[in-house]
Structures are given as C-alpha cells and as structure tokens.
Amino acid sequence: MYFYIIFIDMKISYNWLKTYINTTLSPEEIGEILTQTGLEVESIEKIEAVKGGLEGVIIGEVLTCEKHPDADKLKVTTVNVGSETLQIVCGANNIAAGQKVPVATVGCTLYPKPDEAFKIKLSKIRGVESQGMICAEDELGIGTSHDGILVLDPQALPGTPAAEYFQLENDYQIEIGLTPNRADAMGHIGVARDLKAYLNFHNAQNLVLQLPDISAFSVDNQDLQIAVSVENKEACPLYCGVSLTNVSVKPSPAWLQNKLRAVGLSPINNIVDVTNFVMRELGTPLHAFDAEKLNGKIVVKNASIGSKFITLDGQERMLDSANLMITNGTNNLCIAGVYGGLDSGVSEKTSSVFLEAACFDPISIRKTARFFGLNTDASFRFERGVDIELVEFALKRTVLLIKEIAGGKISMQPIRIENTAPKAKEVQFNTRKSNQLLGINLSHKETESILTELDIQVDSKNGENWKLKIPSYRVDVTRACDVSEELLRIYGFNNVPVPEKLNTSITSFPKIDLEKIHNTIANLLVDKGFMEVMNNSLTKSSYYIDQEENTSVSIINPLSQDLGIMRKSLLFGILENIEYNQNRQQSNLKIFEFGKTYEKHEKGYAESKQLIIAITGKKQVERWNSGKEQVDYFNMKGYVDALFSRLGLLKHCTFDSTDIGIFSEGQDLKIQGKLVAQLGILNPTLQKQFDLKQTVYISILEWDSVIEFLKLNSIKYQEIPKTFAVRRDFSLLLNEGVSFQEIKQIAQKAEKKLLKSVELFDVYEGKNLEEGKKSYAVSFHFQDNENTLTDHQIDAMMDKIKAGLETELKAQLR
C-alpha cells in the first residue's frame, strides 16, 4: 500500500516576513532554514515592483528646451543626467527648462505593460539626434497617466537612479509546500515563529516575534448595532463581529497592494484587501459585509434544502441542509467559511461594514467546500483548523487597519458568541523516551529551550516526566510523539547523527521478484519507444455510468466531481492522456501504465493490477527519408507478443476473438483458458467521446493473472543446434472466417517435435478469388537439433499438416 502526503502551495513575502522578525538573512538562507524545520521551500522568485526595475532610468534636469527646426510639435532639449548632458527630442507639451524629469538612457528597456518591452535606442527624429527619452508615468510602468512627461520634485538630484528616487522595493516570493497538519504556518507570523525558534536555539540571537499592536482599539460610538445569533454552535463554536460606519471604499495604498501582489493576490478595494492582508498575516480568515444588507442582524444557521444562492462568481448554487450559512434572518448572505454572496459584499457605494471573524468546524467546512466543488483561501484555512484564541485579535487588527486606510468609526461593542471556552491541551511527555525515539541526546536544558521557543509551556516536571501545555494554534500537536517531532524540527533533521554501525536482518524474497518483473517489462516497452504515464486512481463516475453502479468504490467526500470514484479500469486515464497530448500537437504516441483498479463485490472490496498499452499516430517520426505509415493492429500485437515472449509465456498463449465493448475489433489472449489480456481497436464511440482524431489501439493486461502463470516458465538450457533449419511454404485458399491462429494450432498438433515456428507472410483478398474466400501464404520451419532432416521426412510432415488443414478448415492448396 502507498501513502501520499499532499502539499499545498503557500506563498510568503520576504519583505513582509521581516516585519515580524529582525533578521538580515538572505531569501536563500531563510529558505534553507525553513526547509530544515519542515516548511519545505519549493521555490524562491524575485518580484520587481516595476518590471525591469527601471534599470538605466536616471533623474535628469532639463537645461534647455528649444523648438524642433523641422517639427512644430517636437522640442529639442539638453538634459543633465549627472555624469553627462544628453540631447533628447521630446514631444510632450508640458516640457520646460528647469524641470527635473526621469530619463531613459540609450540601451535600457522599459515595460509600459508587463508583457510589452520597449528598448531605448540612439535615433534621429526629423534629422535631430536623440540620446534617450524623457518619460511619462505610464511609460515607466509606475502609473497610468499619459498627459505629459512626469515632472518631479525640484529637489530631485540629477544622476540619481530612478529606482532609488521612487523607492521601488523589490521583493522575493518564497513558496512553501505546506503539509495539511501545519495550520499554524498558514500566515506570515506562523512562518516567522519557526524561523525565530530556529535562530534563537542555534545562534542564540534572542530574537522576539514582533506582533501587531492592537492596544489602540476603542469603540467610537454605538450608532450601528448588529444583533448576532448562532443556531448551530457545533458548526460555529465561536463568532465575533463588529460594525464600522463612515468608511471610504477606494483602492488600497501602494504598500498594501504590493504586499498582496507579493503573495499572488490581486488587490480589490481597501476593505477587502485588509481582510486578505490579515488572513495572510495571522492565518485567520475574515469577511466584510455591506452593513446595509444585514437588516440589523446576523443569523448563523443551516440552509434550507433546495434553496438557491448566488455566490461572488455569479453562479447560482443549490443549497443542502448540511451547508452552514451566514444570513440576515431572511436572506442568505454567505456560505460560512467558504464563499461570499454576490449581493452582500463591499462595493464602492458601501459606507458602513460589518466585519466577521469566526471559528468554524473543520469537518463542516470541508464537506460544504467539497459539496460545491470550491477551494477558497478561507476554506483552505478553516478545514485545517484556525486558532480559536486568535480570532478576536484578528478582528481588532483588521478594524484598526481599516480605520487607518479607509477612515470610519467603530460603531458597536465587539460581539463574541462562543459555544464553550477553549481548553488548553495537555500532553504527558517523557524526555528519555523522546530521545530514544529521535536517535539524539537532547539535554533537559536544550529540550526546554526549544519548547519555550515554540510556545509549549512546561507546566510541571518530575524527573524525565514532564507535563506540557500546548498553544491553541498547534492543532496538530496532541501526543508525546508530536512534541518529539517539534523538537526534531528545530534541532534539525540534518543534525541527527548517522550511526557508525548499521544492523540489518537477512530477509527471504519470494521466488518471483515482482518488482524485477515490473521493471523488466517497463524497460522492454521503453526500449521500443514507449513512455510511461501515471494517472490518478480517482476518476469520474460518469465513465462507468453504463455499468453496474454498485460495483464502483465511491469516495465519501470527493475533492471534486471529477474525482468521485476509484477507477475500475486504466482505460479512461490513458484516453485522457492521449486527448491531452493530441490537443497540444502531440499526435504520435506510444504510452503505457502500470496501475491498480478497484471494485466492490458482495464479499468486500477487490484490488487488481493492470498494464495498459496504447499506440496511435505514425509508426515513425516524420522525416525526409521516412514514410507516413500509421500504426496498426499488428504493431500492437507485435508488442504484446514481444512482452509475453520476454516473460516466457508466449508459447502458452492462445488468441480468440473478443466481444468486449471498448473495442470495435479485437482479441482475447488466454493461458490455459484464463483471460490474461485483451487487445484491439478502440470503439468509435469512445474515440468520439474523447474527441480523438485518429485510430487508437489498446491492449489491457490483467497483470495479476500474468504473474500467476509465470510458474509455467521454466528455464531450460540446450546446445546450439548442429544442423540447419528447413523452410516449406503453403499457399492456401481459405474461407474468410478462418484465422491464422487456427492454422498454427493445426500445424503444431500435426508435428509437435520438429516444427519450430509457423509464420504468415502474405494475405490476399480480391479479384480472381471465389466470393467468401481469401489466400494466406504460410511458412513452416522445421529443425532437428542432432540430425539433418531428409526430404522424405519433411514431405511426410508437410503432408500431415496439409491433411489436417484440408480436413478441419476445408483448405485448398493454390
């Protein structure tokens, strides 16, 4: 059985992170430390405030400004850029001598838009040389105005780099592969906490986590009272809220927009941006309502089954009674903890808001999010567990930021409704057992130092037995082994010593090494030009809609409708691969996949392993000296034959026609009467369903059955034959329904010892043959390893084969 850990991408801003911890470490150094503490950094990307960083743009002073001798609307200027004076032709109507302006020098590249590059070249404009460009705001990419050149403060110093003058701040986006248990690291402060703990323990830096100050929070008036009631307190153990009046909804200031863009978010307006900022700061989701839409109250309750609700994306959604909703008592306003409503959000017309900060049950949120197929920033955090003790702090932090950038007054006493007061988690911990588990020898002092840095309180000690209190934000730390893992994270996985002596046990392996067989066949196919694919074991239930539904293994809480059941066949995954590649101009494909399939029966569940092979397109890559011949069924059969030959089972195989619905034509391959493989031409219905433009040939091997018959394969050694093989041919006139497999079986029955192989080398159907007839040219190869065969012996064997063919197949020699 395989276990998978799902990593969620979490984006952290380098500059933002440093506002909570005083460090001069580079982004790369921080990334290395975070990875060592279990927050694996997957990438570090530089983010420029303005694309190109305004490199080559310098502050200049216009010394002279004269009319162009050959153009009424152009001016010829001389500009002091500190190190030299440049002549620049300018067409702006607001250019004048004495101005301080941004100058793009020759060779620099501007980005008026992120995807538009404009390189400054030495040029002549109407016969006058221009040694650069005096820029407008939009040409620099720092604004949208194009009313004229950007005139700067008279105190600006010529020669100053524009990036320095405009105080452009580049940043680095640190992307973390966050495991689901690390709910505490879903905000910048949580990541800073781990960084602080590591640096304090290893470098004794005595760093302090610099949390936001909310001491200025104070209610201004009681002008907007919102009544709050929670009907389902199990799904909403804590709900906090407060109202603000006289707010001004407008674009956010540059610093806030830059912070959000640095973590991949798009600014919306100052109110919404603040809620997103605090969520990325503390890891606590918040929601802002237009207070006028509330009718003076908030009611948290489950939806009425069958009711409809339009979400922010404009989509109408059918609700279920299990969905927790935020309502005004009459109308639904928001899917609690998942997605806001179209009509209750903050807009430019909003003047008063109600802020919500809550703690919702993770299971309830996960079920609701999966029910609607949604995965939002809020649901992502609520599903993993929000720190219940941080909810009210986050609310007050948000309020103060809104007052700072949007104005407004706090117009009610903050409301707090909670089901039960949170209880501190306690863990019984043994230091000796922890060291034994980790393979290290931490002293009591070192252990307590790490625990203190992680806010884990040592409540009492009795020798090696300690009682610990776990902070509320560590929802994943519930056992002593969890505490040991925390110690190891900060101590450093790389610091665990590798013992000089390693002990191992001698184990016996089964006679058949399944992994070796698997790799042998995979290598065989790769050598023949195939590529291996790996698909998800979860797939769409619609693929099996025509089959018995009660045999499907359904997922109780599917991630999406496309991942609703466990696959019953590898076929649909491989067809999705072909469709995906075909849509990207990759039409010549040879692919295979090993994988498990799953079914439910009366006696329980069954897993079985399959190997699927698919080919489509041209036989060879198109070149001047290669043909355009397409792959066909016999290419597929050749690959299957080669596979079973490599396993030593081909001589035991028999082929029969198949009636499986996925093929328009095909064959069953059996060993001792048991089906081990099916191969054929994909049914046109399936080909159309996946919009495949060319014929696809498929082979599905029941791998467990193939492995079962490997016991038939015994290795035998023999001397190289001393004699030559002899070939004889028959040209046979046959009924159309006769297969080559029948001819081969009759020949092998007629001569078992000396007949080594039977091959079909020509097929003819057409004129000069009776209706319902066809012609096969078949070769027979004989060999006696010890004695040379005589003509008499060969003729006798051929006569026996001929008699069998005439008797059983009504064959005629041509």
Side-chain angles (χ1 to χ4, degrees):
M1 181 176 290
Y2 296 90
F3 296 91
Y4 299 93
I5 298 176
I6 300 174
F7 293 86
I8 301 100
D9 291 337
M10 174 74 184
K11 294 179 175 65
I12 295 295
S13 158
Y14 171 69
N15 292 338
W16 191 350
L17 184 67
K18 291 200 299 178
T19 61
Y20 309 112
I21 181 170
N22 184 19
T23 179
T24 58
L25 293 175
S26 68
E28 291 74 20
E29 290 171 324
I30 287 177
E32 184 176 343
I33 292 173
L34 292 179
T35 298
Q36 289 190 47
T37 63
L39 299 176
E40 184 176 357
V41 172
E42 297 180 341
S43 66
I44 298 175
E45 179 183 350
K46 186 177 181 180
I47 299 175
E48 296 174 322
V50 174
K51 189 168 183 180
L54 298 186
E55 187 175 346
V57 181
I58 301 172
I59 304 305
E61 180 181 7
V62 181
L63 301 178
T64 64
C65 180
E66 306 291 340
K67 185 177 179 297
H68 192 289
D70 197 27
D72 293 338
K73 295 185 178 181
L74 297 178
K75 303 286 180 65
V76 180
T77 68
T78 56
V79 184
N80 170 26
V81 293
S83 59
E84 59 182 326
T85 299
L86 304 176
Q87 177 177 281
I88 299 175
V89 178
C90 179
N93 56 14
N94 66 331
I95 185 74
Q99 292 173 336
K100 303 293 178 64
V101 293
V103 178
T105 57
V106 172
C108 85
T109 302
L110 300 179
Y111 293 87
K113 295 181 180 178
D115 56 348
E116 290 183 10
F118 178 64
K119 188 168 184 178
I120 306 300
K121 300 178 181 178
L122 183 67
S123 61
K124 280 191 176 183
I125 302 176
R126 290 290 185 95
V128 177
E129 185 175 76
S130 184
Q131 299 171 320
M133 185 174 82
I134 302 174
C135 301
E137 182 180 285
D138 64 334
E139 291 166 336
L140 295 174
I142 62 174
T144 58
S145 174
H146 195 70
D147 295 335
I149 61 163
L150 182 60
V151 180
L152 307 177
D153 189 303
Q155 302 302 317
L157 184 65
T160 304
E164 180 182 328
Y165 175 83
F166 290 112
Q167 297 181 342
L168 296 183
E169 185 182 64
N170 292 331
D171 199 355
Y172 292 86
Q173 185 184 90
I174 303 171
E175 189 165 328
I176 296 172
L178 194 65
T179 52
N181 65 306
R182 291 302 306 276
D184 62 299
M186 293 189 295
H188 282 71
I189 286 178
V191 175
R193 187 187 292 116
D194 269 13
L195 184 60
K196 175 204 69 125
Y198 185 94
L199 293 174
N200 283 352
F201 178 75
H202 289 279
N203 301 342
Q205 293 190 9
N206 296 318
L207 296 172
V208 177
L209 196 63
Q210 298 167 9
L211 295 174
D213 183 11
I214 62 168
S215 60
F217 183 90
S218 176
V219 177
D220 297 305
N221 56 55
Q222 302 291 331
D223 292 348
L224 183 57
Q225 297 296 316
I226 303 295
V228 178
S229 64
V230 178
E231 294 184 5
N232 187 345
K233 292 186 177 180
E234 289 186 1
C236 180
L238 175 63
Y239 191 94
C240 298
V242 70
S243 64
L244 289 96
T245 55
N246 299 323
V247 297
S248 176
V249 180
K250 56 188 177 181
S252 296
W255 71 265
L256 180 52
Q257 293 194 34
N258 290 338
K259 286 283 193 294
L260 295 180
R261 289 194 183 101
V263 294
L265 297 179
S266 298
I268 299 172
N269 60 53
N270 51 1
I271 305 297
V272 176
D273 291 352
V274 166
T275 63
N276 285 332
F277 174 85
V278 174
M279 177 176 65
R280 291 301 181 114
E281 177 182 61
L282 300 173
T284 305
L286 299 105
H287 192 75
F289 296 97
D290 186 331
E292 291 186 5
K293 306 294 178 66
L294 304 186
N295 296 331
K297 62 180 176 180
I298 286 283
V299 180
V300 184
K301 63 179 182 178
N302 287 75
S304 300
I305 189 167
S307 57
K308 297 178 180 179
F309 179 62
I310 301 177
T311 46
L312 277 172
D313 56 1
Q315 184 174 340
E316 185 177 74
R317 301 178 187 272
M318 189 76 70
L319 302 179
D320 185 80
S321 59
N323 304 145
L324 188 68
M325 304 296 294
I326 309 299
T327 77
N328 62 8
T330 305
N331 300 320
N332 292 315
L333 305 173
C334 174
I335 303 174
V338 179
Y339 211 18
L342 183 64
D343 297 326
S344 62
V346 173
S347 68
E348 293 179 357
K349 298 178 181 179
T350 300
S351 60
S352 58
V353 298
F354 178 79
L355 281 177
E356 166 194 284
C359 183
F360 297 110
D361 176 60
I363 296 175
S364 172
I365 296 299
R366 180 175 176 80
K367 286 182 178 179
T368 298
R370 298 300 168 266
F371 178 80
F372 291 114
L374 293 170
N375 183 22
T376 63
D377 271 348
S379 67
F380 166 75
R381 286 161 173 79
F382 282 124
E383 287 176 27
R384 286 153 183 81
V386 168
D387 181 7
I388 195 168
E389 293 186 0
L390 199 60
V391 170
E392 192 168 349
F393 182 96
L395 180 69
K396 292 179 178 179
R397 166 69 165 158
T398 306
V399 168
L400 291 176
L401 282 173
I402 288 176
K403 290 189 69 176
E404 177 185 331
I405 67 174
K409 301 290 185 180
I410 304 173
S411 298
M412 65 177 284
Q413 195 68 32
I415 192 164
R416 178 186 177 99
I417 299 176
E418 59 184 331
N419 187 5
T420 54
K423 295 180 180 179
K425 290 181 293 183
E426 293 185 352
V427 171
Q428 301 297 326
F429 180 72
N430 184 283
T431 56
R432 177 183 54 79
K433 290 181 179 179
S434 177
N435 282 339
Q436 189 176 17
L437 175 66
L438 300 178
I440 57 179
N441 188 27
L442 282 175
S443 67
H444 281 194
K445 182 179 179 181
E446 290 173 320
T447 300
E448 188 167 5
S449 173
I450 294 176
L451 294 177
T452 301
E453 292 295 341
L454 293 174
D455 297 336
I456 297 176
Q457 180 182 341
V458 180
D459 195 42
S460 64
K461 296 180 184 177
N462 182 13
E464 62 189 27
N465 296 311
W466 297 6
K467 185 167 76 170
L468 309 177
K469 284 188 177 179
I470 311 300
S472 59
Y473 61 80
R474 288 313 303 267
V475 295
D476 60 318
V477 179
T478 58
R479 304 165 298 172
C481 59
D482 297 329
V483 176
S484 297
E485 182 183 352
E486 293 302 294
L487 293 172
L488 184 58
R489 284 197 312 106
I490 304 305
Y491 179 78
F493 294 100
N494 294 339
N495 295 326
V496 177
V498 178
E500 295 180 1
K501 180 181 179 183
L502 295 176
N503 298 322
T504 185
S505 301
I506 298 175
T507 57
S508 61
F509 291 94
K511 195 170 185 180
I512 298 175
D513 189 337
L514 299 180
E515 191 69 22
K516 184 178 180 181
I517 297 296
H518 176 119
N519 290 334
T520 297
I521 297 305
N523 290 336
L524 171 72
L525 291 171
V526 169
D527 289 344
K528 292 183 178 295
F530 281 81
M531 297 187 72
E532 185 172 7
V533 300
M534 296 178 68
N535 290 302
N536 200 327
S537 297
L538 303 177
T539 188
K540 301 177 183 178
S541 57
S542 58
Y543 286 152
Y544 304 97
I545 198 139
D546 296 330
Q547 303 180 24
E548 295 184 25
E549 292 186 7
N550 59 358
T551 63
S552 298
V553 181
S554 299
I555 305 301
I556 296 175
N557 292 313
L559 293 172
S560 73
Q561 294 179 354
D562 290 345
L563 303 173
I565 66 169
M566 304 288 283
R567 63 187 177 190
K568 296 165 69 174
S569 169
L570 302 185
L571 175 67
F572 299 107
I574 213 88
L575 294 182
E576 287 178 349
N577 298 143
I578 296 172
E579 178 187 27
Y580 181 90
N581 282 273
Q582 170 197 271
N583 293 341
R584 287 156 181 79
Q585 311 304 315
Q586 301 295 322
S587 56
N588 305 323
L589 295 172
K590 295 163 70 175
I591 55 179
F592 72 96
E593 180 182 11
F594 280 99
K596 287 191 174 182
T597 61
Y598 309 85
E599 288 196 60
K600 181 173 63 176
H601 303 290
E602 291 183 1
K603 295 183 179 179
Y605 297 93
E607 291 184 17
S608 58
K609 193 170 185 179
Q610 288 184 344
L611 165 62
I612 188 167
I613 306 171
I615 58 173
T616 185
K618 295 183 177 67
K619 286 185 178 180
Q620 295 178 308
V621 177
E622 190 172 357
R623 293 192 179 95
W624 68 272
N625 61 347
S626 65
K628 297 183 179 181
E629 190 177 357
Q630 301 281 314
V631 296
D632 56 29
Y633 174 79
F634 296 101
N635 293 121
M636 174 59 79
K637 187 173 183 300
Y639 294 131
V640 173
D641 283 352
L643 189 154
F644 278 94
S645 177
R646 182 66 183 83
L647 294 173
L649 296 176
L650 186 59
K651 59 187 175 183
H652 301 288
C653 296
T654 59
F655 290 86
D656 295 316
S657 60
T658 185
D659 57 359
I660 185 172
I662 62 172
F663 296 143
S664 57
E665 293 182 70
Q667 289 182 297
D668 289 338
L669 190 155
K670 298 179 180 179
I671 298 179
Q672 295 182 351
K674 184 173 182 178
L675 182 68
V676 293
Q678 294 175 304
L679 60 156
I681 307 169
L682 186 68
N683 189 308
T685 303
L686 281 173
Q687 185 174 332
K688 183 178 180 181
Q689 179 182 339
F690 286 85
D691 194 25
L692 305 180
K693 303 295 191 295
Q694 52 197 14
T695 305
V696 177
Y697 302 90
I698 299 287
S699 179
I700 303 175
L701 282 71
E702 301 299 335
W703 192 247
D704 293 333
S705 298
V706 172
I707 295 298
E708 178 187 338
F709 285 112
L710 287 179
K711 61 188 179 184
L712 300 176
N713 182 18
S714 57
I715 299 175
K716 295 181 180 179
Y717 299 93
Q718 61 184 28
E719 294 182 21
I720 296 174
K722 300 174 182 178
T723 61
F724 296 103
V726 178
R727 168 176 167 167
R728 291 288 187 271
D729 298 341
F730 274 162
S731 180
L732 301 170
L733 187 65
L734 302 160
N735 293 327
E736 279 185 339
V738 174
S739 67
F740 169 69
Q741 184 68 22
E742 292 176 283
I743 296 171
K744 186 176 180 179
Q745 289 174 348
I746 290 170
Q748 289 173 336
K749 184 168 61 173
E751 176 53 53
K752 297 179 180 179
K753 182 179 179 182
L754 300 180
L755 179 63
K756 301 302 181 182
S757 65
V758 182
E759 303 293 342
L760 175 65
F761 65 89
D762 190 32
V763 177
Y764 177 74
E765 295 176 306
K767 62 181 182 178
N768 300 327
L769 291 181
E770 299 177 32
E771 187 177 349
K773 296 288 186 178
K774 62 182 177 181
S775 175
Y776 275 6
V778 183
S779 63
F780 303 88
H781 301 261
F782 302 93
Q783 187 175 28
D784 186 331
N785 294 341
E786 298 296 332
N787 302 303
T788 301
L789 292 173
T790 65
D791 288 341
H792 177 73
Q793 289 176 295
I794 296 169
D795 291 341
M797 290 185 287
M798 290 297 290
D799 288 341
K800 193 173 180 181
I801 293 171
K802 174 187 171 186
L805 296 173
E806 290 175 340
T807 302
E808 297 189 36
L809 302 180
K810 308 300 182 185
Q812 303 174 36
L813 289 184
R814 296 187 67 196

